[in-house]
């Protein structure tokens, strides 16, 4: 059967990254389509954040290549790449004296530069992004005065204003309570579906990944352990390989699987 290539795909081919003699990623072959949410899961140190930084062009691979629209990302100019890929790091930059709208305005800079004036279209994109994320109410608030969940939504609005094809999110739920985690993932899923954006998210909670994501990519010690749709990955033997402990799987009444740690003595 002929395999049809998806236009605009983000792909890693033979991807490797090492620091000195320590191999952090080894020969990864993965691809990402627009309109889907991909969860990067695995134990601490498995290579999730490293992979995301390489995809975001924050670090350069030591072997293999990453391609966007069939063109190596090393060949993309920074401005052009930022018009395609938006990245939210785990540790957010300082926002001293910035209002919510000031921060969201930064999303337009890849399109006209830091010194360029915002056009009427730019302003509309900023307004649209804040409406989509329900952050218009924070336009005049200092970002540093917002709660963790509110601040994350404003940063997400900034990424949306960038009008890219992909969002790369490194542990955006880390500082949020369970209610705000569900709120954030519900919003991300809605935006991916309605805007056709590809989302790649580093996430620790495998159950959140099963509930909100379309595809799970599990890494272990810098290698690809398994990838596939939720039903393909959510098997007790596979989850045990990922996390090193026995897992029991039940089905939530809402239709998604839920994994619970089993008896450690049976590991």
């Amino acid at each position: 059967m002929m395999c049809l290539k998806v236009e605009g795909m983000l792909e890693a081919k033979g991807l490797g990254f090492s620091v000195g003699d320590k191999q952090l990623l080894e020969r990864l072959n993965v691809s990402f389509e627009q309109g889907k949410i991909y969860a990067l899961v695995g134990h601490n140190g498995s290579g999730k954040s490293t992979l995301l930084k390489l995809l975001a062009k924050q670090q350069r691979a030591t072997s293999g290549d990453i391609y966007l629209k069939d063109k190596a990302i090393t060949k993309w100019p920074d401005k052009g790449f930022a018009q395609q890929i938006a990245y939210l790091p785990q540790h957010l930059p300082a926002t001293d004296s910035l209002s919510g709208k000031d921060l969201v305005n930064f999303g337009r800079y890849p399109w006209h530069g830091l010194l360029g004036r915002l056009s009427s279209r730019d302003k509309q994109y900023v307004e649209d992004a804040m409406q989509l994320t329900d952050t218009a109410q924070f336009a005049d608030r200092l970002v540093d005065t917002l709660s963790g969940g509110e601040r994350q939504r404003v940063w997400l609005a900034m990424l949306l204003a960038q009008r890219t094809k992909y969002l790369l999110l490194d542990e955006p739920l880390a500082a949020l309570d369970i209610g705000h985690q569900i709120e954030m993932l519900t919003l991300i899923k809605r935006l991916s579906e309605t805007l056709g954006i590809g989302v790649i998210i580093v996430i620790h909670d495998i159950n959140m990944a099963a509930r909100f994501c379309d595809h799970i990519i599990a890494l272990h010690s810098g290698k690809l352990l398994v990838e596939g749709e939720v039903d393909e990955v959510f098997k007790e033997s596979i989850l045990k390989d990922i996390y090193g402990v026995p897992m029991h799987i039940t089905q939530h009444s809402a239709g998604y699987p839920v994994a619970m740690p089993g008896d450690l003595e049976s590991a």
Side-chain angles (χ1 to χ4, degrees), residues 37 63 107 123 185 195 216 229:
I37 303 178
S63 61
K123 293 176 182 178
L185 286 172
L195 302 178
I216 296 176
E229 295 181 0

Side-chain angles (χ1 to χ4, degrees), residues 11-259:
E11 302 174 276
K13 297 182 179 181
L15 191 65
F17 183 75
S18 60
V19 177
D21 59 357
K22 185 173 178 60
Q23 192 79 23
L24 301 180
L25 285 178
E26 186 174 347
R27 295 192 301 275
L28 285 185
N29 294 289
V30 289
S31 60
F32 308 92
E33 298 176 21
Q34 296 172 35
K36 291 186 177 181
I37 303 178
Y38 297 82
L40 301 182
V41 305
H43 63 81
N44 289 339
S46 61
K48 305 182 298 296
S49 291
T50 298
L51 173 57
L52 203 70
K53 289 176 183 176
L54 293 173
L55 293 171
K57 208 178 175 185
Q58 299 295 304
Q59 293 177 324
R60 185 159 184 164
T62 51
S63 61
D65 269 308
I66 298 169
Y67 296 87
L68 176 62
K69 297 183 177 180
D70 294 325
K71 179 180 177 181
I73 65 171
T74 53
K75 304 296 185 183
W76 280 81
D78 290 343
K79 186 175 179 180
F81 186 77
Q83 294 172 359
Q84 302 291 323
I85 304 286
Y87 169 65
L88 190 67
Q90 181 179 352
H91 302 292
L92 298 175
T95 53
D96 298 341
S97 302
L98 282 179
S99 70
K101 193 165 188 178
D102 290 336
L103 179 58
V104 180
N105 284 342
F106 280 125
R108 298 307 303 157
Y109 287 157
W111 297 91
H112 59 65
L114 287 173
L115 300 179
R117 293 174 60 87
L118 291 180
S119 67
S120 58
R121 177 177 290 184
D122 291 321
K123 293 176 182 178
Q124 186 62 55
Y125 287 158
V126 167
E127 183 177 330
D128 290 347
M130 299 190 80
Q131 290 292 336
L132 285 167
T133 54
D134 192 25
T135 54
Q137 58 192 306
F138 309 132
D140 298 321
R141 289 270 305 274
L142 292 178
V143 175
D144 288 346
T145 68
L146 301 177
S147 70
E150 293 167 346
R151 192 159 49 245
Q152 287 290 66
R153 295 212 319 269
V154 173
W155 277 100
L156 185 58
M158 188 270 285
L159 299 187
L160 290 177
Q162 201 169 324
R163 289 281 172 137
T164 60
K165 305 301 184 184
Y166 289 92
L167 302 181
L168 278 53
L169 311 175
D170 194 353
E171 296 192 40
L173 311 179
L176 304 181
D177 59 44
I178 185 68
H180 284 109
Q181 288 181 24
I182 292 173
E183 180 183 86
M184 178 62 68
L185 286 172
T186 300
L187 174 60
I188 289 169
K189 187 172 183 66
R190 176 167 59 84
L191 294 171
S192 176
E193 291 174 347
T194 57
L195 302 178
I197 299 171
V199 180
I200 308 169
I201 180 171
V202 173
I203 188 168
H204 281 289
D205 190 328
I206 189 66
N207 290 318
M208 289 291 192
R211 181 174 176 179
F212 292 100
C213 299
D214 302 299
H215 198 94
I216 296 176
I217 296 172
L219 301 179
H220 193 286
S221 302
K223 298 179 181 179
L224 178 63
L225 182 63
V226 64
E227 70 162 315
E229 295 181 0
V230 173
D231 290 343
E232 296 175 302
V233 175
F234 241 73
K235 302 183 185 303
E236 292 182 356
S237 59
I238 291 176
L239 295 183
K240 182 178 179 181
D241 288 341
I242 295 173
Y243 294 106
V245 295
M247 305 286 277
H248 297 314
I249 298 173
T250 59
Q251 197 72 14
H252 193 279
S253 59
Y256 53 86
V258 177

